[in-house]
Amino acid sequence: MAALPDLLLDLDRAGSVPLLRQLYLELRRAILAGVLPPGARLPATRALALQLGVARNTVVAAYDQLLAEGFIEGRTGAGSYVSRDLPEGLEARPAPPVAAPLPAPIPNMAQPGTAPFNTGRTAWDERTARIWRQLTLRRVQTPDPAMLGYGDPQGARPLREAIAAYLGAARAVRCTPEQVVVTSGAQQAIGLVLRVLLRAGDAAWLEDPAYPAVRAALADAGARIIPVPVDGQGMVVGAGVSAAPEARLAYVTPSSQYPLGVTLSMARRMELLAWARGAGGWVIEDDYDSEFRYAGRPLASLQGVDEAGRVIYIGTFSKVLFPGLRLGYAVLPPELLQPVLAARLLADWHPATLQEGVVTDFLAEGHFAPHLRRMRQHYRAARDTLVEALTRECGDALEVEAPEQGMKLIARLAPGLADTEIAAAAAARGVIARAVSPMYLAAPPVQALMLGFTGHEPGALRWAAKTLAACLR
Amino acid sequence: MAALPDLLLDLDRAGSVPLLRQLYLELRRAILAGVLPPGARLPATRALALQLGVARNTVVAAYDQLLAEGFIEGRTGAGSYVSRDLPEGLEARPAPPVAAPLPAPIPNMAQPGTAPFNTGRTAWDERTARIWRQLTLRRVQTPDPAMLGYGDPQGARPLREAIAAYLGAARAVRCTPEQVVVTSGAQQAIGLVLRVLLRAGDAAWLEDPAYPAVRAALADAGARIIPVPVDGQGMVVGAGVSAAPEARLAYVTPSSQYPLGVTLSMARRMELLAWARGAGGWVIEDDYDSEFRYAGRPLASLQGVDEAGRVIYIGTFSKVLFPGLRLGYAVLPPELLQPVLAARLLADWHPATLQEGVVTDFLAEGHFAPHLRRMRQHYRAARDTLVEALTRECGDALEVEAPEQGMKLIARLAPGLADTEIAAAAAARGVIARAVSPMYLAAPPVQALMLGFTGHEPGALRWAAKTLAACLR
């Protein structure tokens, strides 16, 4: 009979782990460590129970579990032995280090948390909260059996119908529900499209400065990133054509360039579409916050003026409802639909069905337009509060212009100030002011801060403006 | 002044689209099509209103929109012109065909729908439904501001704590909440891990037959797939070692081989871990339905006996709650955590926060274990109903054995019958019986059907068994 490993005597009688489980784990560890080698005989259950001062049943149950798992073998009355099937000396060799390179982590840009100026926060007023509650309750009250099972990888058809109707009316997007793919946020939509369109080394135009998550996604997809400068009319399309006419795709934010907020002019839009048509390129139009326009009318989407089917339109519910939903969508030219669906199925199958149902009802039952109207008023007021507070508190150190659209503003720093330093100082005081200069690729960076004004109370915005002013001095 | 394109006269006065919008769209189309070329003067608003028989305000508003979007330019009183910034003849050139190859669609395996024998259906009894309703309502009643914003890419910490506690107690998985990554279903967890571990051309062991979605994911990741045969003890590890000892990883379903249902023996487990440790390989343990065990005790997880940190444990809430949730998780060796999180952030940021919250409460407040106990009874009864019905209805044409675990059974066909043909005949009669032979890679395929018995009423199971019998004759 094998000597009992000492550790077996080390049972913790006061702890929360049952004695049976402790005994089982310790015996297993002794077997795996080779303390009890293959073929070794285990103590008789009665003897072990006596030695440990536990009930015999406890020991029998632990042995049963080890027997069921193949660690030990034995016949009733003939004793229990460590299984001879187990290879010997498993624990001896050290593990070799990881061989292949692993991708490096990318910075997390939109941060969790409610600290002032954090971007991506949305307001959620009492009225929307009440409607949301009612719609959610109705969906869980009598769950549709289909909701409990696997769903449509493209997204539930009623939701796609509601999205297509909304986009047609509000954004002049021309599409049928068959072209819509509901995704887990815009980020997934962009990732799936890149996955389908790009081969390693393909050139891709990217606005400079650019949205960091898309820059990372392009790099991850193996794209050769072509930075295309941005001026007062948005992306300088001619520069892209000069640098890489053969590019496979262009990523643009036409309604409001990210991060600078410029609108892509109609002339540039036409140039971009002409390039796509002539070169067989694709245009990814990320229309992330066009719903919130405070002056003039919104420009129609690029997708809506594209007669050649080269534009992939990306939208999100993160801005118009809330990011925690994780719902976005892509409107695809028909030839891309099947490949994107195949990639989606591999990625994570289909959207979560309850969320789909609630958003469908919210749109289809007419709650969306009034919600957007209220939020627009709300956000415009927040914008004005922030502009006023920054102008008052920060004076000449910041150049602030009220944006005509969106949920954030860009505040340019006076000469001599570095945005990364100010951002770090602000973060130390609990204010999230994102530096713009790191979002540049090749163009000379502007030193500016990106300040989100939505989803923050006026008092918090004023306090944060004061705090920022202290950092600027 | 340019001649008015005829189509402008084609306004639909009875339709649901406002006249203003129709007019805007037709003018825009005329500009894009070159019917109204750059520099062309548009009719005066009064003249056009008269000609079309619409209010002059309507024409003014349509022109305003075109002006705002840059399609036309003009000064009050001096007439409106098609913008000279627009490039000419945009519509003339035909679009070239798509250049790069696109990935082919993969078959959708778990199908939406409630037809009998469809796999992946879960029962949802009155008690669970009531608890779920209450927990959901509570979460939406007073939404946590954090729930509305961006969340933790790793998954909310309270959920990770609940998962780690559950896995430790029920599956002998050894992990801290820091090792858990909550994903959008097991499919995403597997995809992220493959994304991080595999470089194109790396060898990967795959059970033969195998779970088709993982086979597709491996192919998509560029793996060189090494089929490893399965016998009565599960994956024949020695065959994998002979064929490709240098493999980067092995994908296994140790608790219940997919699709055959065999348990990986302890000796094979030890062999597999010894290979991983010695070769620096990784083992992906997909533990997809081990919660439903009808005989004997479940074997502890492979992860729990791995002393070298080579096992990645994958679990899902699709089987224990419902697939429409889209929640699963990976338990990672510490060195893989950061790379997987980086890939997750790129993929779709973070899990949907409401679902996370409800599942957290369901686990943390003690509802999960009783739910699993009730479902286990339920599913065992369904299994027995199906075995009895198949035995009675199908006689010698099917060889049926009641599985000791899981939510489906494998019915082997009598010699001479082809599973794909029977499956097609059954599908034509509204019964989803999946053929097993297409799940084989290189090994001689077994002709068998995979029949899901969970989430279907006893009457539906009996009817479907009768229907299947008719197909077998």
Side-chain angles (χ1 to χ4, degrees):
Chain A
M1 193 183 98
L4 257 191
D6 286 348
L7 59 178
L8 268 183
L9 303 172
D10 205 19
L11 301 180
D12 174 11
R13 275 143 221 285
S16 63
V17 181
L19 285 175
L20 156 58
R21 186 158 177 77
Q22 291 187 50
L23 187 55
Y24 157 78
L25 286 173
E26 291 297 344
L27 281 167
R28 195 177 76 169
R29 192 179 297 269
I31 293 169
L32 288 169
V35 177
L36 289 170
R41 184 172 182 175
L42 270 69
T45 51
R46 181 187 302 268
L48 186 54
L50 270 173
Q51 181 183 349
L52 298 175
V54 301
R56 189 179 167 202
N57 274 351
T58 303
V59 179
V60 170
Y63 278 29
D64 278 353
Q65 179 70 24
L66 292 166
L67 194 69
E69 296 189 349
F71 282 105
I72 65 176
E73 49 196 13
R75 291 193 320 278
T76 318
S80 302
Y81 299 83
V82 176
S83 174
R84 282 171 210 278
D85 282 346
L86 300 179
E88 268 190 84
L90 286 179
E91 302 306 307
R93 277 171 288 169
V98 174
L102 300 170
I106 62 155
N108 179 353
M109 301 132 332
Q111 302 176 35
T114 59
F117 299 158
N118 196 10
T119 56
R121 301 293 309 173
T122 63
W124 197 244
D125 66 7
E126 204 24 70
R127 195 177 155 77
T128 298
R130 182 169 48 75
I131 294 165
W132 197 262
R133 216 152 50 218
Q134 286 166 353
L135 298 179
T136 304
L137 186 60
R138 195 172 67 195
R139 284 272 173 178
V140 294
Q141 194 77 49
T142 47
D144 177 358
M147 186 185 104
L148 296 174
Y150 282 101
D152 186 338
Q154 189 168 359
R157 191 174 163 96
L159 179 54
R160 288 187 280 118
E161 285 170 357
I163 290 171
Y166 162 70
L167 290 178
R171 304 294 302 128
V173 168
R174 291 181 294 179
C175 68
T176 64
E178 284 71 32
Q179 290 173 261
V180 177
V181 177
V182 182
T183 57
S184 179
Q187 179 78 14
Q188 184 182 52
I190 293 167
L192 293 176
V193 167
L194 297 184
R195 167 77 200 71
V196 163
L197 290 182
L198 286 176
R199 295 297 164 277
D202 280 354
W205 298 358
L206 181 60
E207 295 165 324
D208 185 8
Y211 180 44
V214 166
R215 181 181 178 177
L218 281 167
D220 186 64
R224 184 160 52 89
I225 295 176
I226 311 293
V228 182
V230 171
D231 66 13
Q233 289 195 66
M235 178 188 255
V236 183
V237 175
V241 174
S242 301
E246 79 291 359
R248 181 85 174 127
L249 62 85
Y251 169 86
V252 279
T253 46
S255 298
S256 172
Q257 200 274 331
Y258 192 101
L260 300 178
V262 187
T263 303
L264 190 65
S265 71
M266 190 50 72
R268 292 277 173 81
R269 288 171 190 235
M270 295 295 115
E271 262 187 272
L272 184 58
L273 294 177
W275 163 76
R277 194 166 37 241
W282 298 94
V283 175
I284 300 179
E285 174 179 27
D286 188 349
D287 201 34
Y288 61 99
D289 68 3
S290 59
E291 286 84 357
F292 302 115
R293 189 140 194 103
Y294 312 117
R297 291 162 181 249
L299 289 199
S301 68
L302 193 57
Q303 195 268 6
V305 294
D306 168 29
E307 300 285 338
R310 309 306 297 172
V311 175
I312 297 139
Y313 179 93
I314 308 280
T316 179
F317 288 109
S318 293
K319 312 288 184 245
V320 291
L321 291 168
F322 60 94
L325 256 185
R326 307 315 302 134
L327 277 182
Y329 46 86
V331 177
L332 297 167
E335 68 195 289
L336 297 185
L337 183 63
Q338 284 312 316
V340 168
L341 281 182
R344 203 276 148 82
L345 202 56
L346 273 183
D348 66 352
W349 225 260
H350 66 86
T353 51
L354 172 63
Q355 309 279 55
E356 277 191 317
V358 174
V359 175
T360 303
D361 297 345
F362 195 80
L363 266 67
E365 296 176 18
H367 304 297
F368 194 45
H371 167 75
L372 286 181
R373 270 198 300 276
R374 291 199 311 282
M375 292 304 117
R376 205 177 288 125
Q377 287 172 7
H378 215 86
Y379 295 170
R380 184 207 299 262
R383 178 198 66 169
D384 295 343
T385 299
L386 178 57
V387 169
E388 196 202 10
L390 290 173
T391 307
R392 189 178 57 240
E393 303 290 347
C394 303
D396 294 340
L398 280 187
E399 185 193 325
V400 178
E401 208 179 327
E404 291 194 346
Q405 174 178 316
M407 304 166 71
K408 55 184 166 41
L409 60 75
I410 297 292
R412 294 180 190 235
L413 297 177
L417 293 173
D419 57 5
T420 49
E421 286 172 22
I422 305 293
R429 295 172 185 231
V431 170
I432 302 183
R434 277 164 60 202
V436 170
S437 69
M439 300 183 195
Y440 280 81
L441 292 94
V446 163
Q447 299 292 321
L449 300 172
M450 175 184 282
L451 309 177
F453 49 79
T454 62
H456 303 291
E457 293 301 319
L461 293 175
R462 288 193 202 101
W463 169 81
K466 258 201 190 101
T467 305
L468 192 58
C471 299
L472 288 165
R473 279 190 295 268
Chain B
M1 191 180 98
L4 254 193
D6 287 349
L7 61 179
L8 269 183
L9 302 172
D10 204 20
L11 300 179
D12 174 11
R13 274 144 221 286
S16 63
V17 181
L19 285 176
L20 157 58
R21 186 159 178 78
Q22 292 185 50
L23 187 55
Y24 157 77
L25 286 172
E26 292 298 345
L27 282 167
R28 195 177 75 168
R29 193 178 299 268
I31 293 169
L32 288 170
V35 177
L36 289 170
R41 184 175 182 170
L42 270 71
T45 52
R46 183 188 301 270
L48 186 55
L50 269 172
Q51 181 184 348
L52 298 176
V54 302
R56 188 178 167 205
N57 275 350
T58 303
V59 179
V60 170
Y63 278 29
D64 279 353
Q65 178 72 22
L66 292 167
L67 193 69
E69 296 189 349
F71 282 107
I72 65 176
E73 49 196 12
R75 292 192 320 277
T76 320
S80 302
Y81 298 84
V82 175
S83 174
R84 284 171 207 278
D85 282 347
L86 301 179
E88 265 189 86
L90 287 179
E91 303 306 307
R93 278 170 288 170
V98 174
L102 299 170
I106 61 156
N108 181 352
M109 301 133 330
Q111 302 177 34
T114 57
F117 299 158
N118 195 9
T119 54
R121 302 290 311 171
T122 62
W124 198 244
D125 66 7
E126 205 25 68
R127 193 177 157 76
T128 298
R130 182 168 49 74
I131 294 165
W132 198 262
R133 216 152 50 219
Q134 288 166 350
L135 298 180
T136 304
L137 187 60
R138 196 173 64 193
R139 283 273 173 178
V140 292
Q141 195 77 48
T142 46
D144 178 357
M147 186 185 103
L148 297 172
Y150 284 100
D152 185 339
Q154 188 168 359
R157 189 174 164 97
L159 178 54
R160 289 187 279 118
E161 284 170 357
I163 291 171
Y166 163 71
L167 291 178
R171 304 293 303 127
V173 168
R174 289 180 296 178
C175 68
T176 65
E178 284 71 31
Q179 289 173 263
V180 177
V181 177
V182 182
T183 58
S184 179
Q187 179 77 15
Q188 184 182 52
I190 294 167
L192 293 177
V193 167
L194 296 184
R195 166 79 199 71
V196 164
L197 290 182
L198 285 176
R199 295 297 163 275
D202 280 354
W205 297 359
L206 182 60
E207 294 165 322
D208 187 5
Y211 179 43
V214 166
R215 182 181 177 177
L218 281 167
D220 186 65
R224 184 161 52 87
I225 294 176
I226 310 294
V228 182
V230 170
D231 66 12
Q233 289 196 68
M235 178 188 257
V236 183
V237 175
V241 174
S242 300
E246 80 291 359
R248 181 85 175 128
L249 62 85
Y251 169 85
V252 279
T253 46
S255 296
S256 171
Q257 201 276 330
Y258 191 100
L260 300 179
V262 186
T263 303
L264 189 65
S265 72
M266 189 50 70
R268 291 276 173 83
R269 289 172 188 233
M270 294 295 113
E271 262 186 90
L272 184 57
L273 294 178
W275 162 77
R277 194 167 36 240
W282 298 94
V283 175
I284 299 178
E285 173 178 29
D286 188 350
D287 201 35
Y288 61 98
D289 69 3
S290 59
E291 286 85 357
F292 302 115
R293 187 135 197 108
Y294 311 117
R297 290 164 182 245
L299 290 199
S301 67
L302 192 56
Q303 195 268 5
V305 293
D306 167 31
E307 300 283 339
R310 309 308 298 173
V311 175
I312 297 139
Y313 179 92
I314 308 280
T316 179
F317 288 108
S318 293
K319 313 290 182 238
V320 290
L321 292 168
F322 61 95
L325 255 188
R326 307 317 300 132
L327 277 182
Y329 47 86
V331 177
L332 297 167
E335 67 195 290
L336 297 184
L337 182 64
Q338 284 313 316
V340 167
L341 280 182
R344 203 277 147 83
L345 202 56
L346 275 182
D348 67 351
W349 224 258
H350 66 86
T353 50
L354 172 63
Q355 310 281 57
E356 277 190 317
V358 175
V359 174
T360 303
D361 296 345
F362 196 80
L363 267 66
E365 295 176 17
H367 303 298
F368 194 46
H371 168 75
L372 286 181
R373 271 198 298 276
R374 291 198 311 280
M375 292 305 115
R376 204 176 289 125
Q377 286 172 9
H378 215 85
Y379 294 169
R380 184 207 302 261
R383 177 197 67 170
D384 294 343
T385 298
L386 179 56
V387 168
E388 196 202 11
L390 289 173
T391 308
R392 186 176 61 238
E393 302 291 346
C394 303
D396 294 339
L398 279 187
E399 183 194 325
V400 178
E401 208 179 325
E404 291 195 345
Q405 174 179 315
M407 304 166 72
K408 55 184 167 42
L409 61 74
I410 297 293
R412 294 179 189 236
L413 297 177
L417 292 172
D419 56 5
T420 51
E421 287 172 22
I422 304 293
R429 295 172 184 230
V431 169
I432 301 182
R434 278 163 61 201
V436 169
S437 69
M439 300 184 197
Y440 280 81
L441 292 93
V446 163
Q447 299 292 322
L449 299 173
M450 176 184 283
L451 309 177
F453 49 78
T454 62
H456 303 291
E457 293 300 319
L461 292 174
R462 288 193 200 98
W463 169 82
K466 260 203 187 98
T467 306
L468 192 58
C471 299
L472 288 166
R473 278 190 295 268

